[in-house]
Each structure stands twice: as structure tokens, then as C-alpha cells.
Amino acid sequence: MNSTIKNLLTLLVMLFCVNLVQAQNPKLNKYIFGEGLVFSGEDGHKMELTGYAQPYYETSTYSNDSFNDYYTRVRMRRIRLRLSGDVEQLKMDYRFQLDLSGTSEVGDGTSNYLMDAWIAYNPTSRIKIKFGQSATPTDNRELTMGSQSLQLVERSKLTSAFSTIREFGIFAQGNFRTGGGTYLRPYLTITNGDGLNVYNKDHGGLKVGGRVDFLPFGLFTNMGQYRQVDMMRELTPKLVIGANYSVNNGMSSRRGRNSGAILYLNDSLQESLPDYTKFGIDFLFKYKGFSMLGEFVTASASVPTDIKWRVRNDGSTSASFDVNGKQDVENYVKGRMMLGSAYNIQAGYIFKNLYSIDARYTHLKADEYSFLNNGTFYNQPNHYTFGVSKYLTKGYGFKVQTSITYSELAPWSNDIYSNPVSGGEWTYRLITSIAF
């Protein structure tokens, strides 16, 4: 395990123990089904323990498929356990979160158990500085929202294509009232740019980015900015508009999520890696049970001119960069990265009987040379989703969600078994979420 992360986890455990000792006569202060247990002491120390599990079913088939192919899986989509708290006297707070299912947030087959592990210092009531592993504000807005509060069964294909999910570094954020009930929330991040759970060698340089959010109608009720459904049925319109920008200097994967997956060398056999730039704008609107989320992301790359070798999966090297029968280093490198743009728009309404009806449209536009053109994993420009949810309790303690998605297939598409397919892919999903 990376020594930095190991030391951070040790410090987190120590802080938790200190919090227990310092909190005089710690007791259960509050419990709301789905929101977790809140413990507090007489001197203001507070600890929260939350968790949830999500059994999941998915099946896919193709509208024009001579193989009669279908794909089905049943699994525990997420099993999350989160410990958080604050040490008021030290102006510090922390979070430690695990996913015991070991699956990726966007379901890409990677295994990650450690989600959050950070410590924050609050020099003022308006400024927070975090160090550790955390969700990054340079992702699209959907990634700022908890998985248990999603409007539909799964996150959008925009999130799957361009997000890094979590990163390790320094995260600074502010929350400033700007007059007339408006708020401005700036964010600045400096991370390693290699995604989460980086236990081996750090590749490339740093990733630098930021976000600015503006709330023209004041704050959302009960953390509603970070939850998709308008469960609180906002009595007045609430809106947050934001923009994010980041530059990953020397990236060793498709989008900055899997360190060391793709490596290139120069003549001196030193790493020479492309830079990755991402820009996005987004918004969230809520009013009386209605909610709407809109997102746009575009990503580009700058490829070094001194690349001479590529590193194969087995560690050997090759000087071949064949693109359409020609040696083309720049476009070969770009063809292995997530380059292009996408937008996602989704909306829904939750009735007073706690049924919710939701819909989403996502469009992906790949650059000429981009991994988004890969016939097996992407190559699907349009996605249409309709979903129905039933919340068994007020809040996110217990819910059942189902959805159906039609994904339009571009030419030269394959199924997961590398068989050619055409037309469209139909995917049905069912998930149950129970939290304590």
C-alpha cells in the first residue's frame, strides 16, 4: 500500500479515537432512517456513521442481433460504510468511506475499496482545506451527488466517459454570501492526477483544476445541492450553475482514472506522457418536487513530440504506432484517450406519495481519434433512459428503482463477446437501496 495513504489512514483512526476520548459522555444525539447515526459529546464534538447496500440486476439485448445475444448480471452494486466527524476545538473534520463491494462507481469493472480518506482544516467558517482522497470538483456535477440519492438506477454515460471519480491531493473550497441571498462557491484542487487508490509508482506530473458554482436563489434545503431528486419539495426555486476546468500534466491512462495503464517513452527511455485538458459547465434546478440536471463536458489532449516507444501490457516496448496503415504517433496516442464532448440532460418529478418518474438523454460526440470510437466499449452516440422509483420512506432509507435504456449503436459496433451488432442496445436495470 502507498505509504502516504497508509499514514493518512493511521491518522484518521487516531483522530477518531481522540474524538471519542475528548467527547465528554458521548451519546447518540440523532438518528434518522437513511441518514445515519449521529453521536455527540457535551463539548460539541460530533461523529456520524452511515451506510447503505444496493442489490442490483441488469440485462441487455440488441434490437437487430442475429446472434440473439443478451447479457445479464446480478450483484451487490454498492456496499458503502462511511465514518465522518469533526473536532471542533481543532477546527478539523474528516471522512473515511469504504465500498465493500469493490466495484467502480461507474461500473467499469475496476476494483476499488477505499473511496474517501481525508482530513480537513477550516481556518474560517467559509473556507475548508482538505488533504487526502476525495471526490474532485473538476468532474461533472453528477459526481458531487451521493450514489444512494441518484435519480435513476445508474449514472449517465457522460460520467462514465469523462469522470475520474476520486483523486488524491489538496482540495480548497469556499462558501461566500454575495448579496441579495446569492452564494458563490469556488473550488481549487491540486492532485496527482492518477485517480483513486494509487499504491504503486506515481506517473506524470500534477493535475491542477478548479470549479466555480453560483447559487442565485440561495441555498438548497437539507443538502439538496448534492442530491438529485427534490425530496424536500423546495418551496421556492433553487438553482446552482457551475463551470469546471482542469489540466492533467502527463496522464498515464485514458482519462486519469487508472495510473500507469498507458505509458510512452522517449529516446532516453524516460516517460513522455500526453497532457489532458477538460472543461465543463452544468446546472441543477429544483422546485416543488421537480428537478432538472444539465451537464456539458469537452476533453482534449496535447501529445509530446519526443515519444518513440509505447509500453505493452507485459512491460515490453514497441516502436509501432500504426494508424490506418501509417506511422502516426500523435493520433495513435489520442486514439487511446477519452477525447471529444458530451452533454447530459435529465429531469424528473417526485409525487407526494413518493413515486418518482424520471427521464434522461445523453449524447456523446467522439473526436476523430478517440477511445470513444471503440466498437466494444463505447461507439454509442445517443442514450435514452426512462425510470420509475418508489421511496418506501421519506428520504433515502429504503427505495426501489427500475429503468430501461435504449443506446443507439454507431457503425462497427460489437457486443462484449466481439460479435458485430447493429441497431440499438436495450438495457433493463433494477436496484434496491437500503440505508441505516
Side-chain angles (χ1 to χ4, degrees):
M1 178 183 294
N2 182 282
S3 59
T4 302
I5 297 179
K6 184 183 295 183
N7 293 336
L8 177 62
L9 294 181
T10 301
L11 184 56
L12 281 170
V13 173
M14 290 174 61
L15 275 178
F16 176 59
C17 294
V18 170
N19 207 0
L20 274 176
V21 172
Q22 290 188 347
Q24 298 176 10
N25 300 319
K27 61 182 179 180
L28 179 62
N29 181 54
K30 182 175 66 174
Y31 173 65
I32 299 175
F33 183 50
E35 300 289 338
L37 301 155
V38 179
F39 298 89
S40 61
E42 294 177 356
D43 53 0
H45 291 96
K46 185 176 69 173
M47 296 174 291
E48 298 182 18
L49 182 64
T50 60
Y52 61 92
Q54 293 182 322
Y56 176 84
Y57 170 82
E58 173 186 317
T59 185
S60 298
T61 189
Y62 298 92
S63 60
N64 184 16
D65 183 8
S66 59
F67 295 93
N68 292 318
D69 233 348
Y70 68 92
Y71 172 71
T72 297
R73 60 177 172 177
V74 180
R75 58 177 175 146
M76 291 300 296
R77 180 65 181 88
R78 301 176 184 93
I79 309 174
R80 298 280 171 85
L81 185 65
R82 186 176 77 190
L83 172 69
S84 58
D86 64 74
V87 186
E88 185 177 351
Q89 293 176 342
L90 301 179
K91 296 184 178 181
M92 299 181 69
D93 54 274
Y94 60 89
R95 176 179 295 176
F96 178 53
Q97 181 175 208
L98 298 173
D99 187 343
L100 302 179
S101 69
T103 59
S104 166
E105 177 61 36
V106 292
D108 61 1
T110 57
S111 296
N112 293 297
Y113 294 94
L114 180 63
M115 306 301 292
D116 294 306
W118 54 259
I119 301 170
Y121 174 64
N122 305 279
T124 74
S125 61
R126 298 296 182 185
I127 298 175
K128 180 190 292 287
I129 302 173
K130 297 193 301 186
F131 171 71
Q133 183 166 287
S134 174
T136 173
T138 57
D139 274 338
N140 52 299
R141 183 164 302 280
E142 189 180 43
L143 263 297
T144 68
M145 301 173 180
S147 303
Q148 79 278 20
S149 67
L150 295 182
Q151 193 170 35
L152 292 154
V153 175
E154 280 289 13
R155 299 187 186 272
S156 73
K157 283 293 184 178
L158 180 152
T159 296
S160 173
F162 294 104
S163 70
T164 53
I165 306 176
R166 282 172 171 82
E167 298 179 23
F168 192 95
I170 299 174
F171 307 81
Q173 62 188 70
N175 181 31
F176 305 104
R177 189 162 185 166
T178 48
T182 66
Y183 283 81
L184 187 68
R185 289 178 165 174
Y187 303 80
L188 176 65
T189 68
I190 303 175
T191 70
N192 60 0
D194 289 330
L196 75 173
N197 285 6
V198 181
Y199 296 145
N200 300 311
K201 179 183 176 181
D202 184 40
H203 299 275
L206 297 176
K207 177 180 177 181
V208 179
R211 164 182 283 275
V212 176
D213 282 347
F214 179 62
L215 293 85
F217 309 132
L219 302 179
F220 290 70
T221 304
N222 193 28
M223 302 295 290
Q225 179 181 337
Y226 307 102
R227 297 171 174 180
Q228 289 188 359
V229 176
D230 185 17
M231 184 66 67
M232 304 309 296
R233 305 187 66 84
E234 298 284 359
L235 297 179
T236 59
K238 298 297 181 184
L239 174 68
V240 56
I241 305 170
N244 63 83
Y245 180 83
S246 63
V247 178
N248 194 336
N249 297 284
M251 191 173 71
S252 61
S253 59
R254 303 197 191 283
R255 61 177 83 68
R257 191 188 294 173
N258 187 12
S259 176
I262 302 175
L263 297 174
Y264 304 99
L265 307 175
N266 58 24
D267 267 341
S268 301
L269 299 182
Q270 300 296 314
E271 288 185 2
S272 181
L273 304 174
D275 296 338
Y276 187 73
T277 301
K278 187 169 67 172
F279 168 75
I281 54 176
D282 44 51
F283 74 89
L284 175 67
F285 175 80
K286 290 185 176 183
Y287 183 52
K288 291 186 176 180
F290 174 79
S291 60
M292 177 177 285
L293 172 68
E295 303 167 299
F296 170 80
V297 173
T298 182
S300 60
S302 175
V303 180
T305 58
D306 64 344
I307 292 178
K308 298 298 181 182
W309 306 93
R310 60 182 173 89
V311 181
R312 297 189 181 99
N313 292 335
D314 61 3
S316 62
T317 59
S318 172
S320 173
F321 294 85
D322 182 77
V323 177
N324 299 323
K326 297 189 304 179
Q327 183 80 348
D328 189 341
V329 174
E330 179 177 359
N331 290 324
Y332 181 93
V333 172
K334 288 184 175 181
R336 303 174 77 188
M337 303 172 71
M338 306 300 280
L339 304 178
S341 60
Y343 63 84
N344 175 63
I345 186 78
Q346 63 188 66
Y349 182 79
I350 183 168
F351 296 89
K352 292 183 179 180
N353 62 3
L354 301 183
Y355 277 96
S356 177
I357 297 177
D358 309 283
R360 167 197 287 155
Y361 170 64
T362 305
H363 175 72
L364 303 178
K365 183 179 180 181
D367 284 356
E368 181 179 1
Y369 299 98
S370 169
F371 194 75
L372 282 172
N373 295 310
N374 182 276
T376 300
F377 299 103
Y378 290 95
N379 210 33
Q380 301 174 346
N382 296 301
H383 303 264
Y384 309 85
T385 300
F386 176 77
V388 176
S389 302
K390 170 58 178 174
Y391 297 80
L392 282 302
T393 61
K394 178 73 173 181
Y396 302 97
F398 188 20
K399 64 176 180 175
V400 179
Q401 295 177 284
T402 185
S403 70
I404 187 167
T405 298
Y406 178 76
S407 301
E408 178 185 298
L409 302 177
W412 316 109
S413 293
N414 304 315
D415 63 14
I416 61 171
Y417 308 107
S418 299
N419 298 315
V421 291
S422 60
E425 179 184 14
W426 289 94
T427 303
Y428 171 75
R429 297 182 174 97
L430 174 68
I431 196 168
T432 299
S433 181
I434 185 165
F436 66 82

